[in-house]
Amino acid sequence: MVRVRFAPSPTGYLHVGGLRTAFYNWLLARREGGTFLLRIEDTDRTRLVEGAVEALLEALNWAGITPDEGAVVGGPLGPYVQSERLEIYREMASRLVESGHAYHCFCTPERLAEMREQQMARGESAMYDRHCRNLDPAERDRRLAAGEPHVIRMKIPDGRSLTVEDQIRGPVSFDSSLVDEQVLMKSDGFPTYHLAAVVDDHLMEITHVVRGEEWLSSTPKHLLLYEYFGWKPPVFAHVPLILNASGKKLSKRDGDVSVEAYREKGYLPEGLLNFLALLGWSPGDEREFFTPQELSGVFSLDRVRKSGAVFDFDKLLHINGLHMRAQSTSRLVELVLPFFDRAGWPRPESGYLAQVIEVMGERANLLTDYVEPIPYFYADPAEYEPATVKKRWKAASPELMEAWVARLEALEVFGHDALDEALRTLAESRGVGAGQLIHPTRLALTGVGNGPGLFEMMEVLGREVCLRRLRTALDRLPRP
Ligand code: GLU
């Protein structure tokens, strides 16, 4: 039975890389009929951010990556929030001390800082010098009884080669002499990530640890902890970093990195997930459109690349566009409506919005493309783009537009085809090109120079609105 987990630390928003990790785990669980578990790793009290857990859950929920077990949903192996499991870590750390695999360390922050400085000065890498490793037990007990601040560190054996059999990268070996004697329990009574993660992955019966590449170098410590406890380690898989165009780790400077930002920009969860899945994983052919369900049928760790994956913003937009076109109009209506609240605009009627969506067709790649860029579908233009006025509103325009208004008043059916024909007939009778009517009409109706097809748009706006806007433009735009 496959049991995987996503184990975020609530230190801010959900990063797109975090969502990708969560998604890969979720896909494995779905493919194998296994369990996807959510664990909150909040033991670093200095990095906690208020509201971060809620933001994280909200983002996962939006993406549809919902846990089968874990924080919030619960389950038989909880609690799933590490700050509620302190007793367990304390007891496990004591076990390691008793078995001789860990020890109390009373070194003060000042001593450690000085030690580090000296190591750096000698050109060595900063590592604990094992000062407290062989304290006399009587002295240790006396200092503990006196309540002296201390941590618990794990012992690292010398001269061993520790090999991670990584599912993505193959075997990766580490020289134990270069591994630091890691703190397991901090002086504040909280465990470090390393102890808590290993203990929880074991107790929560995790079979596969799929996480970001930044944790690969910690894995030898984790393997030793499994060995010390006498537990069988899970399968490890470290997914490649997400890079910017210049090959460096993607950061805020490169663009949006929070899932929330993409949601607000009008991306569909399916679009973002599809893009993220392809960032590091390939189906082995040219296909690029996948729903989450389709991915759960084909995703496998052995097709995850070893090297970093470049975050291509244009590709994300393109893939999102594919997903927009795969949605029913009624679903799009539902998803778009909340964006009007955010823009501070009144919500249009659903039937009307559905028509706008149809008319926009392939012009929309984002949900927000149905809102901010096309205000003229929802309100009369407040102004006319000066450059477009200059280019499109000619000396002959007012007179032509007046004739066009008269024609529109009399038109029997205010539909796309009838409008098209009426405009062309009028242009012909006046001996002008259709553009002489089309461009000023668009300007009058929208205030701008481009947008969806004019006749489709007019049909959606309706006769009353079109006539009103044309008359207003005749009032406000220059006359020869
Ligand atoms: N809490 C760690 C993080 O936020 C999880 C690392 C792991 O999955 O083991 O990245």
Side-chain angles (χ1 to χ4, degrees):
M1 243 337 191
V2 165
R3 285 177 61 84
V4 289
R5 88 304 195 267
F6 178 51
S9 302
T11 54
Y13 50 81
L14 178 59
H15 190 282
V16 284
L19 179 59
R20 184 188 58 168
T21 302
F23 190 39
Y24 283 1
N25 277 286
W26 182 89
L27 287 171
L28 285 181
R30 292 289 77 84
R31 196 194 65 191
E32 303 293 330
T35 302
F36 171 62
L37 188 148
L38 174 70
R39 183 170 73 224
I40 303 294
E41 302 206 325
D42 58 349
T43 61
D44 187 346
R45 309 308 281 175
T46 61
R47 292 180 60 222
L48 292 192
V49 171
E50 179 140 18
V53 173
E54 290 70 21
L56 219 125
L57 293 170
E58 174 73 24
L60 286 176
N61 202 34
W62 170 76
I65 307 304
T66 44
D68 307 306
E69 187 179 320
V72 188
V73 273
L77 301 177
Y80 298 92
V81 177
Q82 290 187 327
S83 58
E84 294 168 21
R85 301 170 62 79
L86 300 183
E87 252 335 292
I88 301 174
Y89 309 126
R90 251 172 240 153
E91 134 78 18
M92 291 295 178
S94 309
R95 251 200 234 182
L96 292 178
V97 172
E98 271 154 40
S99 61
H101 292 112
Y103 56 94
H104 294 90
C105 168
F106 298 90
C107 289
T108 60
E110 294 73 34
R111 177 178 184 276
L112 293 173
E114 197 175 309
M115 172 199 81
R116 244 173 261 129
E117 219 165 274
Q118 287 170 6
Q119 287 169 333
M120 303 296 238
R122 290 196 297 270
E124 300 168 8
S125 47
M127 268 170 85
Y128 181 59
D129 60 3
R130 305 185 173 184
H131 182 75
C132 293
R133 203 199 229 235
N134 298 310
L135 273 190
D136 171 55
E139 183 192 342
R140 179 200 63 193
D141 290 346
R142 183 184 53 72
R143 292 171 81 170
L144 283 179
E148 215 177 292
H150 62 274
V151 301
I152 295 177
R153 289 183 186 272
M154 70 185 286
K155 288 186 187 168
I156 306 283
D158 280 323
R160 262 184 67 182
S161 170
L162 301 165
T163 302
V164 183
E165 299 290 346
D166 192 275
Q167 279 282 291
I168 294 166
R169 325 180 69 86
V172 187
S173 295
F174 295 84
D175 175 358
S176 72
S177 316
L178 302 174
V179 179
D180 199 8
E181 300 223 309
Q182 177 69 51
V183 173
L184 298 177
M185 285 298 280
K186 294 174 281 186
S187 53
D188 64 0
F190 280 81
T192 56
Y193 154 72
H194 305 279
L195 177 68
V198 166
V199 165
D200 288 349
D201 284 338
H202 172 72
L203 294 179
M204 295 174 188
E205 299 172 9
I206 298 303
T207 58
H208 296 67
V209 168
V210 180
R211 61 185 170 196
E213 186 185 316
E214 63 270 33
W215 300 107
L216 178 62
S217 60
S218 298
T219 312
K221 294 174 192 170
H222 301 178
L223 286 175
L224 278 175
L225 288 172
Y226 281 99
E227 185 182 305
Y228 294 168
F229 283 120
W231 299 335
K232 182 174 173 279
V235 172
F236 288 101
H238 291 90
V239 304
L241 290 179
I242 299 183
L243 308 175
N244 65 18
S246 30
K248 303 246 161 58
K249 194 173 165 184
L250 184 77
S251 82
K252 274 189 224 166
R253 254 167 293 132
D254 306 308
D256 290 310
V257 291
S258 79
V259 172
E260 186 56 29
Y262 288 96
R263 177 186 184 173
E264 281 181 6
K265 286 208 156 139
Y267 285 86
L268 291 171
E270 294 90 338
L272 181 59
L273 288 173
N274 186 163
F275 169 75
L276 289 175
L278 295 174
L279 205 53
W281 171 85
S282 122
D285 55 34
E286 292 304 299
R287 275 180 77 191
E288 58 175 8
F289 177 92
F290 293 93
T291 64
Q293 278 61 40
E294 284 168 345
L295 279 168
S296 68
V298 292
F299 179 81
S300 68
L301 288 174
D302 55 11
R303 298 210 67 90
V304 176
R305 274 188 293 273
K306 292 188 191 60
S307 52
V310 176
F311 197 98
D312 178 343
F313 292 90
D314 295 334
K315 183 162 185 199
L316 169 58
L317 188 64
H318 162 72
I319 289 191
N320 198 68
L322 300 180
H323 282 270
M324 294 272 289
R325 294 190 258 300
Q327 304 299 320
S328 67
T329 303
S330 60
R331 172 141 197 267
L332 287 174
V333 166
E334 220 172 279
L335 293 171
V336 173
L337 281 173
F339 284 95
F340 285 88
D341 309 344
R342 217 196 50 191
W345 299 359
R347 286 188 175 204
E349 194 245 313
S350 297
Y352 179 77
L353 179 55
Q355 291 180 55
V356 173
I357 289 173
E358 300 272 348
V359 165
M360 286 294 284
E362 300 214 351
R363 275 186 194 79
N365 287 311
L366 297 171
L367 295 170
T368 44
D369 286 346
Y370 299 122
V371 191
E372 279 93 342
I374 51 169
Y376 46 80
F377 272 111
Y378 313 108
D380 291 359
E383 53 204 24
Y384 305 95
E385 212 170 57
T388 311
V389 174
K390 196 157 168 245
K391 187 161 164 215
R392 301 302 193 188
W393 193 260
K394 299 277 160 52
S397 299
E399 201 269 320
L400 278 170
M401 283 297 106
E402 259 154 26
W404 180 221
V405 165
R407 186 73 200 83
L408 290 175
E409 280 167 342
L411 200 65
E412 219 160 286
V413 195
F414 204 85
H416 163 266
D417 290 347
L419 287 160
D420 193 343
E421 206 204 296
L423 183 134
R424 284 176 211 286
T425 314
L426 177 62
E428 224 165 275
S429 73
R430 293 301 183 106
V432 297
Q436 299 285 313
L437 285 162
I438 291 178
H439 299 308
T441 302
R442 180 184 292 287
L443 173 67
L445 296 181
T446 67
V448 294
N450 48 35
L454 180 68
F455 304 115
E456 287 94 333
M457 183 169 72
M458 288 178 79
E459 183 176 328
V460 172
L461 289 171
R463 188 192 320 251
E464 198 189 317
V465 170
C466 289
L467 286 173
R468 182 177 68 225
R469 292 186 187 178
L470 284 164
R471 289 186 189 119
T472 306
L474 278 167
D475 273 354
R476 290 176 49 191
L477 288 174
R479 300 230 159 215

